[in-house]
């Protein structure tokens, strides 16, 4: 059975949930939007931090911790953004780290977005 995770994030008009739980697994995708649903200004560091803050909020709203995260897929729109994203990302995790992949993509759903993550966690 799939259940939506209730968060305090901006309620998207798109047909999506910010996160769901199913069969003891947590699934989410997060983007760099603020409480009004606007993509934050300030370049990749500001967007990475907003994305990771949204992610941490969603993980905790599901009753989990960052230590429960098992895999993260990172998307950035330029190779030189990845070291900056990595620096911010490292502030949110401790060893043992989640499995991870990073991709450089031509673009994301909103033109001004520089990053996005998809992540999974196991319910203890």
């Amino acid at each position: 059975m799939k259940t939506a995770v209730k968060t305090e994030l901006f309620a998207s008009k798109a047909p999506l949930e910010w996160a769901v739980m199913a069969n003891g697994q947590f699934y989410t995708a997060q983007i760099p939007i603020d409480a009004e649903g606007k993509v934050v200004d300030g370049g990749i560091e500001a967007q990475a931090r907003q994305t990771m803050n949204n992610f941490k909020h969603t993980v905790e709203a599901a009753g989990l911790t960052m230590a429960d995260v098992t895999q993260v897929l990172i998307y950035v729109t330029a190779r030189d953004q990845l070291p900056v994203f990595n620096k911010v990302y490292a502030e949110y995790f401790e060893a043992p780290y989640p499995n991870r992949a990073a991709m450089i993509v031509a673009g994301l759903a909103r033109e001004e977005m520089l990053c996005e993550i998809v992540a999974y966690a196991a319910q203890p």
Side-chain angles (χ1 to χ4, degrees):
M1 178 173 189
K2 175 177 67 177
T3 59
V5 174
K6 182 171 173 39
T7 72
E8 294 181 18
L9 299 177
F10 176 77
S12 177
K13 292 173 180 61
L16 62 83
E17 299 292 346
W18 286 119
V20 296
M21 296 289 297
N23 300 317
Q25 294 292 313
F26 169 84
Y27 304 85
T28 190
Q30 296 294 322
I31 58 176
I33 59 170
D34 62 18
E36 287 84 46
K38 296 179 183 162
V39 175
V40 296
D41 292 327
I44 186 60
E45 185 165 358
Q47 288 196 18
R49 189 160 311 283
Q50 185 69 50
T51 299
M52 292 303 296
N53 284 341
N54 291 350
F55 176 49
K56 186 172 191 267
H57 164 77
T58 304
V59 167
E60 291 172 352
L64 303 172
T65 70
M66 296 298 276
D68 297 318
V69 177
T70 56
Q71 185 173 47
V72 179
L73 308 175
I74 298 168
Y75 301 87
V76 293
T77 58
R79 191 169 307 280
D80 63 352
Q81 296 167 346
L82 192 54
V84 179
F85 194 99
N86 282 339
K87 180 179 143 269
V88 173
Y89 176 93
E91 297 172 16
Y92 291 81
F93 292 104
E94 296 178 1
Y97 301 103
N99 173 263
R100 196 184 99 162
M103 287 138 291
I104 291 54
V105 298
L108 295 163
R110 294 190 190 181
E111 186 176 349
E112 65 274 26
M113 284 178 17
L114 304 174
C115 61
E116 182 169 356
I117 65 170
V118 174
Y120 311 95
Q123 191 172 32

